[in-house]
Amino acid sequence: MSNVHPAFEPITSAEIESLGVRVEEYRHRRTGAQHLHIAADNPENVFLVALRTVPEDSTGVAHILEHTALCGSDKYPVRDPFFMMIRRSLNTFMNAFTSSDWTAYPFASQNRKDFDNLLDVYLDAVFFARLDPLDFAQEGHRLEFAEPDNPDSELVFKGVVFNEMKGAMSSVTSRLWQTLSKYLFPTTTYHYNSGGEPADIPDLTYEQLVNFYRSHYHPSNAIFMTFGDIDAAEHQAVFEEKALHKFDQLHKTIAVGREKTYLSPVRVEEKYPLPAEEPQDEKTHIVLGWLLGDVTDLEQALTAHLLSGVLLDNSASPLMRLLETTDLGQSPSPLCGLDDSQRELVFVCGIEGSERERADELEQAVLKVLEDVAENGVPYEQVSAALHQLELQQREIGGDGYPYGLQLILTALTGATHRGDAIGLLNIDSALEKLREQIKDPKFIANAARTLLLDNQHRVRLVMTPDTELSARSEQAEKARLAQIKASLTDGEKQQIVQTAKALAERQQRKDDESILPKVGVEDIPPELPKVEGEEVSIGGDHTQKVSRYSAGTNGLVYQQLVATLPEFTDEERLLVPYYCQSLCELGLGDKDYLQVQQWQAAVAGSIHGFTSHRTELSNLDSQSGHFILSGKALSANQAALTELMQATMEQVRFDELPRIKELLLQTLARREQSVVGSGHALAMAAASAGFNRAAADGHESGGLQGLRQLKALVRSLDSNEGLEALAGKFAAIHQKIANAERQFLLVGEDDKLDGFTSALQPLVNTGTVAAAGAEAPFNAHKVMEMWVANSQVNFCAKAYPTVPMSHADAPALAVLGGFLRNGYLHRTIREQGGAYGGGASHDVNIGAFRFYSYRDPRMAETLKDFDDSIDWLLSNKHEESQVEEAILGVVGGMDKPGSPAGEAKKAFHSALYGRTHEVRQAFRRKVTEVTLEDLQRVGKTYLQADKASTAVVTGSQGREAGLALDLHEEKL
């Protein structure tokens, strides 16, 4: 183990060869605080401190505390040190999370000075938070008059978390999970919504918040977790000096107990809101959930994961096959799978797009499949393929979403939270070996299915049916509650509400002394953008094609892509290409049907999928090119088998499985509909930009709201066999063009294997007879003024302005301007004062659009005005160069953020494919560091002109009137 600080004692350690790390566990002698250190040869160091938080109601106390703790501490008594540090840092990750039974504060940085700064601020925020009542009012909830200084005006609830959870619970998937948890866990903390139910959040008092902080935010209840190349003892010295030496042992154990088990299954029915104009037919969700056992029992947890994989991994898995093909519903439930984030494992399966009267039939069908598995088992090949997928997940070095170190930390956190074997959750190689032996017994999976599911009486069947009046009733109940509160207020209490609003507004306008916070500056930025080196070689005979290959530490995995230049498509084909891509790897190949292909894929590949990418030219937004990519990954030993699978996909795909094609489109539609509330800001920005150029319009038509509307129409056309046959024919025509287009290849793997991998790609070479797409017809640019009405209790607002491509001299300044406006104006007005969960601005050089946005926003007209006012603020106020520096740090930090070894190689290749070479990106980065305040004001005045603005809002039925008053044209999904 590493050198240990005297304040800590070593507990245990383990080398984990498959992850290339050493894990060390320590305990703080005085308080009992746990420290788990993952030592790795990786300069991206990660810190996380987690507190076990166990709410006993749905007021959102843990969630609101997470927000409020970041609003100032003893050492840093400024209003918003967390958001201030985001812009004074080169962090690669910085956030805070509230889970169902823990609250965590993580960050990551590649810069040691920056890491030390953030660690100091985080430790003080967590253990010495000020918890100002005004911060509780801002972040949690408060009563305020619609006209803040007029006690005769309407009373309303406000608060960031209050509005965030209104948005979160607009998601049917979130509501479904929360409702299922309520019944699966009748007595423990998971019965409650740790994020907070909007109806319950106003019940939380400031005193309750402070008491929860005192009892839960103590080192004795804390888990410190670190990753990277900083020694454990160095971390411990900081923990001790900055925080731990001030605490004694807390003689109270905070833990989640085991749930009381049901003696027989429970069947319940609840409602969820649906907009009044939407038809209610086939909108019911039916799910079955089981409580399986303790998450800290590693062997049982891995057996449960394997069983879940065998039952649900792909379309050939017995339970997934039922859920995808049954006539009882449209598609499998988004909850399907195993959840291991809580004290006890939860297994869920079910369908959406159903009717309540079909619940008995579905339940019996599911139990019949499980009975068949328990009686007859599953072929060894399928079980082995599911175990193969578990091994791939264990071996793969991630880091393209969250930092890799944070992914490992979060994997171990569940075990640490429940005082189990946290190291064991990372070091599963021996457990996998044991499973490999156990599955040789044909009864192993059969017995697991019987023990964990069939004979398990702790089962809940939840039927959630749509109710077109529920939103109106909830809104009315909130108004009645507020009216009742207002009627009971004395004049003095009314004046207190007015005074609180005034005090909060003054506090939000106050300029704090940011100099007390540590910072990095432009001088701390590394001079060079990290470079990933690759090489180009050729394969093929008479017709050679290029292989771009990259040596990377992939831990025994290989990543390869077939990259074809997109050919000319008809307008109809162009709209269908995304759905062709989603279907390509889900259909039969040659004499194999899609079920056999799914088994083939699971046996040899970690993943295989098709997609397209498009970019505009560096200097011309009206000219874009695109590529089709067939992407796969596998264990190195399976590379030849992966190549064979990719070859069959391109040469033998079948479009004659018509029911399967319809099934896939229904699943795609369900996923797209569920994603609207979670990504409403991105959808609104895409809609607002759609009139600028063809590239922007394509984004709106493929992944945006226009695309969702077109997908709905496409699905309706498939009710007849003729419609399906016609679509299959169009998919086949698209495939014929792509299969014969010119190709090149991307290969990422370990250096000593690259030559062999390259040779094995030979079968994928084609003659490339179809030419690339030619110039597109001129685009009719136009302004957008739209309101898209969805199933949402909150708004997502966007305003966009046409700008310039990446090579233009103003592009670096426009990139910096987004952060400048967010940091200096939008964060305060939209989030702090307006109560939205988020808001900001950014520049998209690929489509030449500068875009403002808000996320989970209770306001509409006021937010759109805030966008405009931020431009006036930019042009008319006096600003400091330090504000420019902070915005520059944000842009550079985003450019320098590392991914996984394979992800970095892929990014380098695909950037260069469209002319964004390392040299081009390096030059852009250098120009970003040279941006001045005068540059920002100049580009703001040049491009952010009112008559050039386009506006789009995603809202619910409650926002329709406000949207129409703004002359927004209503668009229906």
Side-chain angles (χ1 to χ4, degrees):
M1 294 179 75
S2 305
N3 295 326
V4 59
H5 187 274
F8 285 78
E9 57 181 336
I11 304 299
T12 187
S13 68
E15 296 279 348
I16 306 179
E17 288 185 18
S18 64
L19 300 177
V21 301
R22 184 179 67 255
V23 189
E24 305 163 354
E25 184 178 356
Y26 304 89
R27 182 168 55 231
H28 187 245
R29 298 176 188 274
R30 186 166 167 182
T31 65
Q34 183 180 4
H35 177 208
L36 199 73
H37 177 62
I38 304 174
D41 183 19
N42 191 323
E44 187 181 25
N45 284 277
V46 183
F47 167 84
L48 175 147
V49 61
L51 300 309
R52 299 173 182 91
T53 46
V54 185
E56 297 177 359
D57 56 38
S58 292
T59 59
V61 58
H63 187 189
I64 293 171
L65 180 54
E66 172 226 310
H67 280 241
T68 313
L70 296 172
C71 291
S73 62
D74 288 354
K75 186 175 180 181
Y76 300 111
V78 289
R79 189 178 80 250
D80 204 356
F82 176 78
F83 283 99
M84 288 179 180
M85 285 306 296
I86 285 178
R87 54 191 189 242
R88 299 167 70 85
S89 162
L90 286 166
N91 71 84
T92 56
F93 186 88
M94 195 174 161
N95 211 331
F97 308 136
T98 302
S99 183
S100 53
D101 51 20
W102 51 257
T103 302
Y105 297 85
F107 70 81
S109 181
Q110 298 181 100
N111 180 293
R112 181 61 191 267
K113 175 183 174 182
D114 189 37
F115 184 92
D116 292 342
N117 290 348
L118 290 169
L119 183 57
D120 190 24
V121 173
Y122 264 60
L123 289 172
D124 210 62
V126 171
F127 295 109
F128 308 105
R130 288 194 306 164
L131 302 185
D132 190 297
L134 287 175
D135 292 325
F136 170 66
Q138 172 184 288
E139 297 296 317
H141 70 88
R142 65 187 183 275
L143 287 167
E144 198 168 288
F145 292 106
E147 301 168 30
D149 57 352
N150 179 9
D152 294 326
S153 63
E154 192 178 48
L155 198 62
V156 294
F157 287 127
K158 288 192 173 183
V160 171
V161 170
F162 178 74
N163 290 315
E164 177 191 350
M165 293 312 297
K166 272 196 167 184
M169 298 316 292
S170 294
S171 160
V172 179
T173 305
S174 297
R175 190 180 283 258
L176 189 64
W177 170 250
Q178 198 57 51
T179 307
L180 181 63
S181 296
K182 181 172 70 173
Y183 291 104
L184 275 174
F185 298 98
T187 66
T188 60
T189 188
Y190 311 121
H191 182 76
Y192 306 105
N193 185 343
S194 64
E197 287 288 342
D200 297 325
I201 288 172
D203 294 334
L204 180 68
T205 66
Y206 172 72
E207 290 71 28
Q208 289 170 329
L209 181 92
V210 171
N211 290 337
F212 194 88
Y213 176 75
R214 287 173 178 159
S215 61
H216 288 75
Y217 278 48
H218 188 284
S220 299
N221 187 44
I223 306 154
F224 294 83
M225 307 180 87
T226 49
F227 168 93
D229 60 7
I230 299 174
D231 196 73
E234 292 186 58
H235 290 306
Q236 291 162 0
V238 179
F239 301 163
E240 176 69 7
E241 177 196 347
K242 302 290 186 182
L244 298 185
H245 77 277
K246 297 182 181 179
F247 292 89
D248 293 315
Q249 178 85 34
L250 178 71
H251 296 292
K252 176 183 179 182
T253 300
I254 293 170
V256 181
R258 293 291 298 271
E259 185 53 76
K260 294 178 181 177
T261 53
Y262 289 138
L263 300 178
S264 60
V266 172
R267 295 175 177 86
V268 292
E269 183 175 329
E270 290 219 9
K271 306 279 190 182
Y272 74 91
L274 190 72
E277 61 272 14
E278 284 200 33
Q280 299 183 57
D281 298 345
E282 300 199 324
K283 292 289 175 66
T284 292
H285 296 252
I286 306 170
V287 293
L288 300 172
W290 285 262
L291 217 52
L292 300 192
D294 200 321
V295 73
T296 61
D297 183 334
L298 180 59
E299 282 193 22
Q300 180 174 297
L302 274 177
T303 299
H305 273 287
L306 181 62
L307 177 62
S308 177
V310 167
L311 294 173
L312 292 171
D313 254 3
N314 57 64
S315 298
S317 304
L319 196 47
M320 184 56 77
R321 183 178 181 183
L322 165 72
L323 301 175
E324 285 189 344
T325 60
T326 180
D327 293 332
L328 298 173
Q330 290 184 349
S331 60
S333 170
L335 297 191
C336 284
L338 187 77
D339 180 85
D340 61 359
S341 65
Q342 303 174 125
R343 171 67 192 269
E344 292 173 89
L345 298 159
V346 174
F347 178 78
V348 185
C349 66
I351 56 175
E352 61 184 4
S354 187
E355 297 287 358
R356 61 187 297 275
E357 56 270 15
R358 301 174 190 169
D360 287 345
E361 195 176 345
L362 176 76
E363 184 174 10
Q364 290 310 308
V366 167
L367 295 176
K368 184 179 178 183
V369 169
L370 296 178
E371 186 65 51
D372 182 63
V373 171
E375 280 295 313
N376 305 310
V378 174
Y380 173 79
E381 293 75 20
Q382 280 185 256
V383 183
S384 178
L387 187 58
H388 169 239
Q389 296 301 316
L390 276 181
E391 183 185 359
L392 273 162
Q393 291 165 23
Q394 168 70 357
R395 294 190 70 89
E396 184 167 25
I397 298 175
D400 294 322
Y402 286 177
Y404 178 53
L406 181 57
Q407 292 177 13
L408 295 182
I409 282 172
L410 291 174
T411 298
L413 179 56
T414 299
T417 299
H418 302 295
R419 299 176 175 86
D421 182 6
I423 294 178
L425 290 176
L426 293 171
N427 194 16
I428 67 170
D429 286 355
S430 60
L432 286 174
E433 277 303 316
K434 184 174 180 180
L435 267 183
R436 198 167 281 114
E437 287 301 311
Q438 288 173 316
I439 66 172
K440 292 176 181 176
D441 176 1
K443 287 289 184 186
F444 179 72
I445 283 295
N447 292 339
R450 186 167 296 284
T451 304
L452 293 176
L453 298 174
L454 271 176
D455 292 345
N456 180 355
Q457 297 301 303
H458 199 108
R459 182 175 87 233
V460 172
R461 186 187 82 190
L462 170 62
V463 178
M464 274 192 62
T465 58
D467 184 339
T468 55
E469 298 177 358
L470 184 56
S471 283
R473 288 200 303 272
S474 299
E475 201 174 321
Q476 190 53 45
E478 183 179 306
K479 285 183 177 178
R481 180 181 184 182
L482 287 162
Q484 186 177 11
I485 293 171
K486 185 178 179 182
S488 67
L489 293 174
T490 64
D491 288 343
E493 288 169 333
K494 289 179 181 178
Q495 283 306 311
Q496 182 59 53
I497 291 173
V498 170
Q499 287 304 312
T500 299
K502 183 180 178 185
L504 181 57
E506 289 173 352
R507 178 175 164 78
Q508 290 165 338
Q509 293 287 355
R510 189 183 73 208
K511 184 164 178 56
D512 288 326
D513 179 12
E514 295 188 16
S515 66
I516 67 171
L517 288 164
K519 66 183 280 292
V520 293
V522 171
E523 69 276 5
D524 296 301
I525 294 174
E528 295 293 318
L529 181 72
K531 187 173 185 179
V532 179
E533 298 281 2
E535 63 173 342
E536 292 182 4
V537 296
S538 295
I539 57 172
D542 296 335
H543 183 81
T544 60
Q545 292 180 323
K546 183 172 68 177
V547 180
S548 299
R549 61 188 200 180
Y550 295 79
S551 169
T554 57
N555 201 23
L557 270 70
V558 60
Y559 301 80
Q560 58 191 43
Q561 294 182 346
L562 178 159
V563 182
T565 306
L566 279 182
E568 197 79 51
F569 291 123
T570 66
D571 288 345
E572 185 181 27
E573 286 172 340
R574 185 171 50 79
L575 294 175
L576 292 175
V577 165
Y579 312 118
Y580 153 80
C581 289
Q582 290 160 10
S583 302
L584 179 64
C585 297
E586 302 287 341
L587 298 171
L589 302 175
D591 59 357
K592 293 181 172 67
D593 64 20
Y594 79 89
L595 296 171
Q596 293 169 308
V597 171
Q598 293 271 299
Q599 292 174 8
W600 183 11
Q601 292 172 349
V604 304
S607 69
I608 179 169
H609 63 285
F611 61 96
T612 58
S613 68
H614 299 80
R615 296 276 183 92
T616 54
E617 286 185 12
L618 279 173
S619 58
N620 184 1
L621 294 170
D622 293 318
S623 176
Q624 63 172 333
S625 58
H627 293 81
F628 164 82
I629 299 99
L630 181 64
S631 182
K633 67 182 178 187
L635 294 172
S636 294
N638 289 338
Q639 192 251 350
L642 173 62
T643 301
E644 182 186 3
L645 176 62
M646 294 174 74
Q647 181 184 8
T649 301
M650 295 306 295
E651 295 178 2
Q652 301 175 34
V653 63
R654 295 167 49 178
F655 295 104
D656 61 347
E657 296 173 303
L658 301 185
R660 175 64 172 166
I661 291 175
K662 182 176 181 181
E663 197 178 280
L664 293 168
L665 285 170
L666 284 169
Q667 291 175 28
T668 300
L669 176 59
R671 286 195 302 270
R672 291 279 295 273
E673 288 183 318
Q674 290 153 13
S675 70
V676 169
V677 175
S679 53
H681 62 310
L683 295 170
M685 285 193 286
S689 314
F692 294 167
N693 49 55
R694 170 48 59 195
D698 284 350
H700 186 44
E701 287 182 345
S702 58
L705 293 166
Q706 178 67 15
L708 175 54
R709 182 160 65 187
Q710 289 167 348
L711 177 57
K712 282 186 172 184
L714 177 62
V715 167
R716 285 194 297 270
S717 75
L718 304 182
D719 288 341
S720 69
N721 211 51
E722 292 78 11
L724 262 174
E725 286 178 349
L727 178 63
K730 291 164 188 169
F731 279 179
I734 291 169
H735 181 73
Q736 191 67 24
K737 290 181 179 181
I738 288 176
N740 291 302
E742 181 65 26
R743 295 177 183 174
Q744 58 177 298
F745 306 95
L746 168 66
L747 188 58
V748 185
E750 288 159 337
D751 192 63
D752 61 336
K753 298 185 175 71
L754 283 179
D755 285 341
F757 289 161
T758 304
S759 299
L761 290 178
Q762 188 72 35
L764 295 178
V765 174
N766 74 345
T767 54
T769 56
V770 175
E776 293 175 310
F779 181 80
N780 180 28
H782 56 279
K783 281 183 67 169
V784 168
M785 294 288 287
E786 292 175 353
M787 165 182 59
W788 292 78
V789 180
N791 188 6
S792 175
Q793 298 180 56
V794 289
N795 304 315
F796 305 86
C797 304
K799 188 170 273 197
Y801 299 80
T803 57
V804 294
M806 185 176 183
S807 66
H808 194 284
D810 289 340
L814 286 163
V816 175
L817 181 58
F820 185 85
L821 293 175
R822 181 190 64 242
N823 297 344
Y825 193 88
L826 297 170
H827 175 76
R828 172 169 48 83
T829 58
I830 292 175
R831 190 179 193 277
E832 293 182 350
Q833 296 171 355
Y837 185 51
S842 63
H843 185 236
D844 186 335
V845 289
N846 188 53
I847 61 171
F850 190 91
R851 308 188 293 193
F852 293 88
Y853 68 91
S854 71
Y855 183 69
R856 291 180 180 170
D857 191 347
R859 308 181 307 159
M860 187 185 298
E862 300 90 339
T863 292
L864 295 173
K865 184 175 184 299
D866 284 338
F867 295 159
D868 297 339
D869 290 347
S870 72
I871 302 168
D872 293 338
W873 170 83
L874 165 72
L875 299 176
S876 58
N877 279 46
K878 184 179 179 183
H879 307 289
E880 299 172 11
E881 285 295 338
S882 61
Q883 295 171 275
V884 183
E885 180 182 56
E886 290 172 354
I888 289 171
L889 289 175
V891 176
V892 173
M895 292 186 71
D896 290 2
K897 183 178 179 179
S900 68
E904 287 289 288
K906 290 178 189 176
K907 183 169 76 173
F909 169 79
H910 285 280
S911 295
L913 190 62
Y914 294 101
R916 279 78 168 167
T917 62
H918 178 266
E919 291 71 27
V920 168
R921 290 182 291 132
Q922 173 68 33
F924 184 87
R925 180 180 181 271
R926 178 179 50 77
K927 291 172 185 172
V928 163
T929 64
E930 297 167 354
V931 167
T932 65
L933 177 59
E934 291 72 24
D935 291 331
L936 298 184
Q937 291 176 322
R938 175 178 52 76
V939 297
K941 186 174 183 180
T942 303
Y943 299 104
L944 307 188
Q945 297 177 13
D947 61 338
K948 296 179 181 177
S950 285
T951 300
V953 172
V954 177
T955 186
S957 54
Q958 79 288 342
R960 179 182 283 111
E961 193 174 319
L964 294 174
L966 292 166
D967 293 327
L968 299 180
H969 181 264
E970 182 175 352
E971 300 284 348
K972 287 186 167 62
L973 285 171

